[in-house]
């Protein structure tokens, strides 16, 4: 047959992939957020000499690859000039903040500001503030304060939801979304957030949400009625509004 005797007698010894699969399976259970590259480096550090291409082939065959969550495409956001409104209810600003209770349970706040006199219209406090809750808070403010012409906000998931957009269309309110990564375009409420954090969130150790709400409501009353504001000629927000544009509170 003109074949070398050593070749004729050679028996192919194809190794099984089961040891690799077993290691990957156990590793995926312990570290579900690790990808193929990180698992490969880990196995190398553990002394295994498997080829990285072989590990990737087994990894894909086991369907362990992580699913990437696609980012929601945002419409083009143009920079809006940050001007001081000439009267109330022309422009409101809206933003979220977060903090934690003494037991490390996190909570969020929804802050709403009237840019005209920097009056804090409301601060909603809870562990979760989805889009439906945002709409409900704004509805209550509309009943008390009247409809604003526009509301300025960032691009958080609650603020780009269809629920909020449909509500704004029904109320004929324009939603102004700032450019991503440009918080200075919403500077009025960003400055307010700093004051609220220094005076309340960083000043107290809260045991429960009710305590956060009680202290926040008391602070809001002082902020709007007696705390001087440099941008308002040294007047409190409601004092400034009464001198420049009388407001009838419902």
């Amino acid at each position: 047959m003109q074949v070398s005797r050593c070749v004729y007698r050679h028996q192919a010894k194809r190794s099984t992939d089961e040891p690799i699969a077993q290691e990957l399976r156990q590793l995926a259970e312990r570290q579900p957020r690790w990808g193929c590259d990180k698992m490969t480096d880990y196995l190398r550090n553990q002394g295994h000499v498997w080829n990285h291409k072989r590990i990737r082939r087994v990894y894909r065959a086991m369907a362990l690859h992580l699913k990437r969550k696609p980012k929601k495409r945002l419409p083009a956001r143009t920079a809006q000039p940050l001007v001081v409104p000439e009267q109330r209810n022309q422009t409101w600003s809206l933003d979220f903040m977060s903090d934690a209770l003494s037991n490390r349970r996190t909570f969020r706040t929804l802050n709403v500001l009237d840019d005209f006199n920097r009056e804090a219209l409301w601060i909603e406090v809870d562990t979760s503030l989805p889009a439906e809750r945002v709409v409900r808070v704004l509805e209550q403010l509309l009943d008390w304060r009247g409809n604003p012409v526009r509301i300025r906000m960032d691009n958080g998931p609650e603020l780009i939801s269809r629920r909020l957009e449909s509500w704004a269309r029904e109320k004929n309110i324009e939603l102004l979304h700032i450019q991503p990564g440009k918080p200075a375009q919403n500077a009025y409420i960003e400055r307010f957030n700093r004051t609220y954090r220094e005076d309340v969130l960083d000043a107290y150790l809260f045991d429960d949400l009710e305590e956060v709400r009680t202290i926040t409501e008391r602070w809001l009353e002082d902020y709007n009625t007696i705390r001087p504001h440099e941008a308002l000629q040294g007047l409190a927000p409601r004092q400034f509004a009464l001198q420049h544009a009388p407001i009838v509170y419902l």
Side-chain angles (χ1 to χ4, degrees), residues 61-105:
M62 297 175 64
L64 295 177
H65 49 278
L66 301 176
K67 295 182 180 180
R68 293 188 177 182
K69 184 178 180 180
K71 293 183 178 179
K72 185 174 182 179
R73 293 186 176 273
L74 299 176
R77 307 298 194 194
T78 57
Q80 300 290 335
L82 192 63
V83 298
V84 180
E86 298 180 353
Q87 59 183 8
R88 73 185 185 99
N89 286 355
Q90 282 190 339
T91 305
W92 290 2
S93 296
L94 187 151
D95 199 12
F96 289 98
M97 297 182 69
S98 61
D99 209 323
L101 303 174
S102 58
N103 59 6
R104 298 185 180 182
R105 185 183 183 187

Side-chain angles (χ1 to χ4, degrees), residues 167-179:
W167 173 85
R169 283 194 300 268
E170 293 174 2
K171 301 296 182 179
N172 196 26
I173 297 174
E174 181 184 5
L175 299 183
L176 295 180
H177 291 91
I178 65 174
Q179 293 175 306

Side-chain angles (χ1 to χ4, degrees), residues 157-173:
E158 303 88 356
L159 306 180
I160 60 175
S161 63
R162 295 180 180 177
R163 178 68 182 94
L164 184 60
E165 292 177 356
S166 62
W167 173 85
R169 283 194 300 268
E170 293 174 2
K171 301 296 182 179
N172 196 26
I173 297 174

Side-chain angles (χ1 to χ4, degrees), residues 11-28:
Q11 298 293 330
K13 297 180 180 180
R14 183 177 181 181
S15 58
T16 177
D17 293 330
E18 183 56 32
I20 302 178
Q22 183 177 357
E23 289 286 344
L24 292 178
R25 191 179 301 109
Q26 294 176 356
L27 193 55

Side-chain angles (χ1 to χ4, degrees), residues 34 37 40 55 72 79 85 87 96 107 125 130 134 138-139 155 164 173 182 203 219 222-223 249:
W34 281 13
D37 292 338
T40 300
I55 296 176
K72 185 174 182 179
Q87 59 183 8
F96 289 98
F107 65 89
V125 179
V134 174
L138 292 176
E139 281 281 2
N155 298 276
L164 184 60
I173 297 174
K182 302 290 185 179
W219 178 84
D222 291 344
Y223 177 88
Y249 292 93

Side-chain angles (χ1 to χ4, degrees), residues 32-72:
R33 297 302 304 167
W34 281 13
C36 182
D37 292 338
K38 193 173 294 293
M39 288 186 176
T40 300
D41 292 339
Y42 175 83
L43 294 177
R44 290 273 181 85
N45 295 336
Q46 295 300 312
H48 299 290
V49 294
W50 298 314
N51 185 280
H52 68 94
K53 291 182 288 186
R54 184 181 176 191
I55 296 176
R56 182 172 294 275
R57 174 173 54 79
V58 178
Y59 178 89
R60 290 181 174 177
M62 297 175 64
L64 295 177
H65 49 278
L66 301 176
K67 295 182 180 180
R68 293 188 177 182
K69 184 178 180 180
K71 293 183 178 179
K72 185 174 182 179

